[in-house]
Amino acid sequence: MVRRSLLDTVLPWRWFGTEDNRMAYPHEEKASVTGPAISTGVLGQAVWTPRDYQHLADQAYVRNAVAYRCVKLIASACAAIPWILRDADGNEIEKHPLLDLLKKPGPMVGGASLFEAFFAYQVIEGNGYLEAVGPSDNAPPRELWAPRPDRMKVIAGPFGLPSGYEYQANGVFKRWQADPLTGRGPILHVKEFHPLNDWYGLGRMEPAAYGIDRHNAAGAHNKALLDNGARPSGALVFQPIKDPVTGAMQSAPPEVIEAARKKLDASHVGPSKAGKPLVFGGLVDWLEMGISPRDMDFAAGKDDAGRDICLAAGVPHILVIPGQSTYNNIREAKLELYEDTVLPLHDRSTDALNAWLCPMFGEGLSLEADLDGVSALEPRREAKRKSIVELYDKGLIDDREAREALQYGEREPEAVGKIDAAVLNALVVAVEKDPSLSVALFRYLHSVGLVDEGTTLDGLLSAAAEAATRAEQDQIDAATPPADPNAQDDINAED
């Protein structure tokens, strides 16, 4: 007797039939071997996120300027990259309902706003969701929405893929079903890699949490310094005085100390009163109790925490943290931001859209990033063009290969290519001296497009002879003076 596994008990299609039929169920052959092990214990249940997203988003995005700038840079750069839609043959499609949906995914929502939120959720939390809204499951969607990731829960499927998703907000629950074998459904889930979680991704703000805490603490410390006179606290010491009657040393009475404390708070605490001197009567001394901000170097520590945040987010720190930077450094830093952070994030999301959204509009459609529309990548395009031109000038590639590498397409049949005047003049002079070199001249004229594809050498020589005859006749006509019409009239009169 074959022992029944947990899946034999929970899957409805295995409740009936023989043991052989159940073991031969075709869906199991496509499933991952490790998928059932991942789903054991959470099958059919909502898998909760292992961290407090609201606290992380509040501390990182809402309260920290460096983390906010990093997330904003990445998300807005990804959302600004235009898409190109191609058919199964690779031809670009300029007008299509899918492109219209990406530009205007919903009422009062533009494509840039939607995808900026979609990419920002991935950077902060490691998970981005898109909801497709349409008239039916088989029709293309008419709207796209990006729900908050902390409100979305994955419903574990039997094969290691989600069988659905659950959304909860303000006591309202919503569930969507997904194919347990392919994961397809009205919800797209794009996640970052997480080495310890099978269902959710790892956001970039979580590894940067220590840097964010240090940066926020430094800011809170500086704020406290401003609130407390812009300096570390000290002690106002009343020296004992000698009683003139008894000769004994006496300390200041409590009411004098309390009055001094109130006067200190009223005249010295707060940013508007920083630097004002204290004036007290009697034998009073001020004893410094702490060290200055310069000694503790809070500014350097705050910048160091900011660099840690930028490092975790994948943003060059010179784009975020003020400092010594030149135009060329900023230009190179922007290129590094796109190549190391923005483009990989955009490519991963584009692949997910090709697998999830494009099939809803028909087979063979695919999206790709239009990198020529990104101004920050101009240095890379300049380097590519320079390299191709050098290869062409050295003769390592021909004109067709160079145009193909530069994505210019094939040259028109009647188009004229680059003409080297020195080479053409040398060939003409050589042919005048030695007519046998006309073959070389013909090949050069053909290569630059001065001669049509159907023209032969004999036809070219015949046309050249006719052109020479016409030119010679034109010279003769130009040298012959025109006849006098009056002279012709005199001849006719004599006759």
Side-chain angles (χ1 to χ4, degrees):
M1 180 177 179
V2 180
R3 177 176 294 180
R4 301 184 64 176
S5 64
L6 175 63
L7 294 179
D8 295 324
T9 305
V10 298
L11 297 182
W13 55 77
R14 298 191 181 183
W15 292 349
F16 307 100
T18 63
E19 199 71 29
D20 294 337
N21 292 337
R22 290 194 294 267
M23 297 301 294
Y25 189 77
H27 285 88
E28 188 177 10
E29 296 178 2
K30 297 181 180 180
S32 171
V33 178
T34 61
I38 296 174
S39 302
T40 302
V42 293
L43 182 61
Q45 302 177 13
V47 183
W48 298 90
T49 52
R51 54 195 172 274
D52 186 358
Y53 165 79
Q54 292 187 359
H55 178 76
L56 183 63
D58 178 69
Q59 293 295 319
Y61 191 78
V62 178
R63 299 179 181 273
N64 190 275
V66 175
Y68 167 83
R69 182 60 177 164
C70 290
V71 175
K72 192 71 174 179
L73 276 176
I74 298 173
S76 59
C78 287
I81 298 178
W83 272 299
I84 297 177
L85 181 63
R86 299 190 183 277
D87 57 16
D89 297 329
N91 300 318
E92 182 179 355
I93 302 175
E94 297 183 356
K95 294 183 179 181
H96 195 274
L98 176 56
L99 295 176
D100 297 336
L101 178 65
L102 295 176
K103 293 179 181 178
K104 185 174 175 35
M108 306 299 293
V109 178
S113 299
L114 175 79
F115 284 100
E116 182 177 343
F118 175 66
F119 289 117
Y121 288 145
Q122 294 186 53
V123 176
I124 297 174
E125 210 258 351
N127 300 277
Y129 298 89
L130 286 178
E131 177 193 1
V133 180
S136 64
D137 295 339
N138 298 325
R142 296 179 181 177
E143 296 179 4
L144 293 176
W145 297 94
R148 275 174 46 176
D150 60 315
R151 296 174 176 174
M152 294 291 292
K153 302 296 180 291
V154 177
I155 307 300
F159 302 109
L161 292 176
S163 62
Y165 297 89
E166 181 180 281
Y167 181 85
Q168 177 183 357
N170 302 322
V172 179
F173 290 84
K174 171 65 178 177
R175 275 207 177 194
W176 297 272
Q177 298 297 325
D179 191 327
L181 288 175
T182 63
R184 289 187 178 181
I187 298 296
L188 172 65
H189 180 197
V190 180
K191 61 181 180 179
E192 297 270 358
F193 171 73
H194 197 312
L196 302 177
N197 197 305
D198 299 314
W199 304 101
Y200 297 101
L202 177 65
R204 305 187 186 191
M205 293 299 103
E206 190 167 354
Y210 289 116
I212 293 173
D213 290 341
R214 289 193 295 121
H215 196 273
N216 290 343
H221 175 84
N222 293 337
K223 177 63 166 57
L225 287 179
L226 293 175
D227 292 340
N228 291 279
R231 62 183 301 169
S233 60
L236 189 64
V237 180
F238 286 84
Q239 299 292 340
I241 60 176
K242 185 177 182 181
D243 191 330
V245 178
T246 62
M249 302 299 293
Q250 293 183 354
S251 300
E255 58 271 13
V256 175
I257 297 177
E258 181 64 21
R261 187 188 63 80
K262 291 181 179 180
K263 188 175 182 180
L264 180 65
D265 292 340
S267 61
H268 196 64
V269 174
S272 62
K273 302 179 180 63
K276 287 187 175 181
L278 288 173
V279 179
F280 290 99
L283 189 58
V284 181
D285 186 21
W286 175 264
L287 179 62
E288 191 74 33
M289 298 293 291
I291 57 178
S292 66
R294 181 178 180 181
D295 294 333
M296 296 185 70
D297 202 7
F298 278 103
K302 189 176 181 180
D303 289 345
D304 180 70
R307 287 185 175 88
D308 288 346
I309 299 172
C310 294
L311 179 63
V315 177
H317 69 276
I318 65 173
L319 297 178
V320 179
I321 301 175
Q324 298 294 329
S325 60
T326 62
Y327 176 79
N328 290 332
N329 290 341
I330 294 178
R331 191 182 187 205
E332 294 175 358
K334 288 182 178 180
L335 181 61
E336 179 184 352
L337 171 66
Y338 272 84
E339 291 185 338
D340 295 345
T341 303
V342 174
L343 293 183
L345 179 60
H346 191 276
D347 290 342
R348 183 169 58 251
S349 300
T350 302
D351 292 341
L353 289 174
N354 286 331
W356 174 71
L357 184 60
C358 290
M360 299 181 186
F361 289 85
E363 297 294 333
L365 298 177
S366 62
L367 292 168
E368 65 180 47
D370 184 9
L371 300 183
D372 292 337
V374 181
S375 59
L377 298 179
E378 184 61 28
R380 188 169 71 171
R381 290 192 291 268
E382 290 180 359
K384 180 180 179 181
R385 287 193 294 265
K386 182 178 179 181
S387 175
I388 294 174
V389 170
E390 290 178 353
L391 292 176
Y392 174 73
D393 291 340
K394 294 179 180 179
L396 298 178
I397 59 176
D398 57 18
D399 177 80
R400 180 185 59 81
E401 293 172 334
R403 293 182 62 86
E404 182 179 358
L406 293 174
Q407 300 179 353
Y408 281 116
E410 295 183 0
R411 188 186 298 274
E412 296 295 333
E414 64 275 7
V416 178
K418 180 180 178 181
I419 301 175
D420 193 329
V423 174
L424 180 59
N425 184 62
L427 289 173
V428 172
V429 173
V431 170
E432 291 177 352
K433 297 180 180 179
D434 186 1
S436 63
L437 297 177
S438 58
V439 177
L441 176 61
F442 172 75
R443 290 178 179 177
Y444 180 77
L445 296 176
H446 186 274
S447 65
V448 297
L450 292 176
V451 176
D452 297 336
E453 293 287 342
T455 303
T456 61
L457 178 59
D458 294 337
L460 178 63
L461 294 177
S462 177
E466 294 178 1
T469 302
R470 287 196 301 269
E472 183 179 358
Q473 184 62 40
D474 291 340
Q475 292 178 357
I476 295 175
D477 295 341
T480 304
D484 188 0
N486 295 327
Q488 185 65 33
D489 294 340
D490 295 338
I491 294 174
N492 294 334
E494 292 176 357
D495 292 342

